[in-house]
Structures are given as C-alpha cells and as structure tokens.
Amino acid sequence: MTAERTSVPYQKIVFVCVNRREPHETCCAHRESEAIAAALKARVKALGLSRAIRVSKSGCQDLCAKGPNVMVFPDYVWYHGVAPGDVERIIEDVVRRP
Ligand code: FES
C-alpha cells in the first residue's frame, strides 16, 4: 500500500507542546500548556475557523526551558513563555497574518 500525497487541508496549523515530563523536570505541561491548547482551540471554533486553522497538540519541540511553546505554520512564528492570557493575541496574529 502506498501513501496518498495531497495538499494540506488547513491554511494554518498551530502546534502547542503538551509534553509532560517527571514532576521535577521542566516541560510545557507543567506550565498550563494543556489549558493553552484548549483555549486556542475553543477560540478558533468560536470564530468559525476550525476548517481553516487547526490547533494541534504536539510532543516536545526541544525548547523546553522556553515553554510553553506554540509554533505556527506556515507562518514560521514561535511563541514561547506563553500564558493563558496570551491566547487572544496569538489568535489575532494567526488570523491577521496572510
Ligand atoms: S516539553 Fe515543550 S518543548 Fe520540550
């Protein structure tokens, strides 16, 4: 069986690291990244943009000390040190950038 190759069905994908490490280790999950992912997803849905913008939980982005980390493609924008209060600004950026 051969994989099918086609265009990505979203205009943008917002990757939110939700990787969880041991309690004494640094990771995005220890800094509310699950809540950040849920808030981003809810905002995209409320704006009726779920078919265009996909918020996707990711594994470790290898930038743990800077987390929580959010990366937006194809914008190639990296938000780090994200807090739940940053969600609205991130959404505005994602929606506004062509
Ligand atoms: S745990 Fe989020 S970048 Fe490593």
Side-chain angles (χ1 to χ4, degrees):
M1 188 167 171
T2 306
E4 289 187 37
R5 183 178 190 274
T6 187
S7 299
V8 173
Y10 306 108
Q11 291 173 17
K12 300 194 180 192
I13 302 180
V14 180
F15 288 106
V16 184
C17 174
V18 295
N19 188 50
R20 181 175 299 279
R21 297 188 185 283
E22 295 297 318
H24 63 283
E25 295 178 312
T26 300
C27 70
C28 294
H30 292 164
R31 298 176 185 159
E32 302 187 85
S33 66
E34 285 276 4
I36 292 163
L40 286 166
K41 193 173 270 248
R43 224 25 219 121
V44 167
K45 185 175 181 182
L47 291 168
L49 296 172
S50 299
R51 297 183 77 91
I53 300 172
R54 179 76 184 169
V55 177
S56 187
K57 297 177 183 177
S58 88
C60 181
Q61 297 172 356
D62 204 19
L63 298 157
C64 316
K66 295 275 194 179
N69 293 300
V70 175
M71 294 191 181
V72 183
F73 295 90
D75 295 354
Y76 289 91
V77 172
W78 169 32
Y79 298 93
H80 55 84
V82 177
D86 296 318
V87 165
E88 197 57 41
R89 181 175 68 91
I90 293 171
I91 289 294
E92 286 173 14
D93 285 355
V94 169
V95 169
R96 193 176 322 126
R97 285 176 74 99

